[in-house]
Every structure is written in C-alpha cells, then in structure tokens.
Amino acid sequence: MDDYFHYLLLGLLALLPVANPLTSVTLLLALGSELSRAERNRQILKATLYVAAILLISFYGGSAIMSAFGISIPGLRIAGGLIITYIGFTMLFPSTQPSESEAQQAMLSEEEKRKPHIRDISFVPLALPGTAGPGTIALIISAAASLDQQGGIPLVIHLVVVSNAILIALIFWIALRSANLIMKLLGESGIDAVSRVVGFLLIGMGVQFAINGVGEVVQGFGAS
C-alpha cells in the first residue's frame, strides 16, 4: 500500500505541471463564452471523459499506435506545437470577415436561423491539446516504454495509472467548472481580452513545442 501512494504522488507531481488544467480553463473562458450554462457544463463533462481516456490510451496503447503509423515523439511534439500555434492565432486575431458558415447561415430560413449553432470544444481544444496535449502524451508514452524495458508493468503501477487518470480528470473537471464564476466576473470585454492574451501565450507554447521537437530530431541525427 505504501508503494501505491508513493507512485501515485510521483505520478501526480510529474503529470500536473505538464497537463496544467489551467490552460484548458483559459481556453474555455475564451471559446466558451457564447455557450449556455447547461451546454458548457455538458461539454466540460465530455472533455473530462476525453482527458481520462486519452491518458489511459496513451499509457496502454500509445507506443503501439505511434509505431503503427510511424510517428516519433519529436513528430508528436511538432504536430502538437503546430495545432496549439494555429489555435493561438485564431484567438489572438479573430476573423472580422464573415466565414463560410456565416454566409450559409444568412441563406437559411427564419425557422432554421432560430436553431442555435453549438460549437463543440470539448475534445479540441479543451481535452486535446489543452490538458492532454503532446507534452502529456509524450511523458506518458515514455514512462510506459521505460517500464516495458524493465521487464513489464507490475500490478501496483496499473492501479496507479488508472488512479492518476481519474485524479487528473477530476482536477480538470473542478478547474473548468470554476471557470463559470470567472466568466460571470469578467464579462464580454474581459473575456475578449483574456482570449487575446491566452492566444499570444498559446502561440509561444506551440512554437516552443515545435522547437523542442525539432531539437530532438537534430540531436537524433547528431547521435546517429
């Protein structure tokens, strides 16, 4: 039992700084302001389940999936960095021109216009890459690969992995549900300001992810 709590604490200390649910909170503040309270809570619950699923799939099947598609850890970091950078740009420089979907909306009948268009942000970007991003996935896959090389995964580690996934998802859910109060306090102009600041930070994060991935590729060529 002592080993269980020891590894559980180590897992949380390793995962929380990388997963950082606060990133998803800021994304929800920026992108979920137009959602109703009920819809926002529904998407938060979905995102929580996605986070737990991504963590478990990364540990138990991440290496096999990446090997099957020929994806390396550096490639995962670069791809994740590009995704985060794109999301950051859309938040920092929101489009002022009518999009194709808005043009289609203008052609709809009055009855169809009254039906609200609900944007689903539960998987992208709240769960991925918000919390279960490339850094989190790479960390989990690396840990699973190291355990496999040491002769297999003991039962206590399986229990720790499932417990950590549940705890990270629970922390994620609590953090996002707390965002509802923040949204009320900030108002529309405050959320717009937060959106642009977060967009800038996401661009920096995405570029850094890509730089780390490129650096690992260069080191790999240098070592070969």
Side-chain angles (χ1 to χ4, degrees):
M1 203 65 179
D2 289 340
D3 287 343
Y4 169 79
F5 286 110
H6 174 71
Y7 290 124
L8 184 68
L9 181 59
L10 285 179
L12 283 175
L13 291 177
L15 278 175
L16 272 179
V18 182
N20 192 9
L22 292 178
T23 302
S24 292
V25 171
T26 53
L27 287 170
L28 180 63
L29 287 173
L31 303 176
S33 58
E34 296 181 359
L35 299 175
S36 67
R37 183 182 181 87
E39 177 60 25
R40 191 162 59 244
N41 290 340
R42 187 183 72 84
Q43 293 203 24
I44 289 172
L45 179 59
K46 284 175 59 179
T48 302
L49 297 176
Y50 287 143
V51 166
I54 291 171
L55 296 180
L56 292 173
I57 291 172
S58 297
F59 186 85
Y60 289 107
S63 296
I65 293 172
M66 291 178 67
S67 297
F69 288 94
I71 304 171
S72 64
I73 295 293
L76 181 69
R77 292 188 187 279
I78 294 171
L82 293 175
I83 293 171
I84 294 174
T85 302
Y86 171 75
I87 294 172
F89 268 112
T90 60
M91 292 170 64
L92 183 60
F93 303 109
S95 175
T96 57
Q97 298 296 324
S99 63
E100 182 179 351
S101 60
E102 290 173 336
Q104 292 173 349
Q105 182 75 8
M107 299 172 63
L108 297 176
S109 65
E110 289 301 319
E111 181 179 353
E112 291 173 319
K113 286 181 181 180
R114 284 194 291 269
K115 296 178 181 178
H117 172 70
I118 299 175
R119 180 182 181 185
D120 194 329
I121 58 174
S122 58
F123 188 76
V124 178
L126 292 185
L128 176 74
T131 290
T136 307
I137 294 172
L139 177 63
I140 293 173
I141 293 176
S142 300
S146 299
L147 289 169
D148 280 333
Q149 291 172 359
Q150 294 173 9
I153 303 174
L155 176 61
V156 66
I157 298 299
H158 287 289
L159 295 175
V160 167
V161 168
V162 175
S163 300
N164 268 330
I166 293 173
L167 285 174
I168 293 291
L170 180 61
I171 294 170
F172 174 86
W173 180 82
I174 293 173
L176 264 64
R177 286 299 297 263
S178 301
N180 293 337
L181 177 61
I182 301 174
M183 295 178 92
K184 287 183 179 179
L185 295 175
L186 289 178
E188 185 176 347
S189 60
I191 290 173
D192 181 65
V194 169
S195 174
R196 293 176 186 272
V197 171
V198 172
F200 177 75
L201 294 175
L202 285 178
I203 292 171
M205 289 171 57
V207 171
Q208 188 60 54
F209 271 128
I211 289 173
N212 292 343
V214 172
E216 291 175 12
V217 172
V218 173
Q219 288 178 1
F221 278 116
S224 59

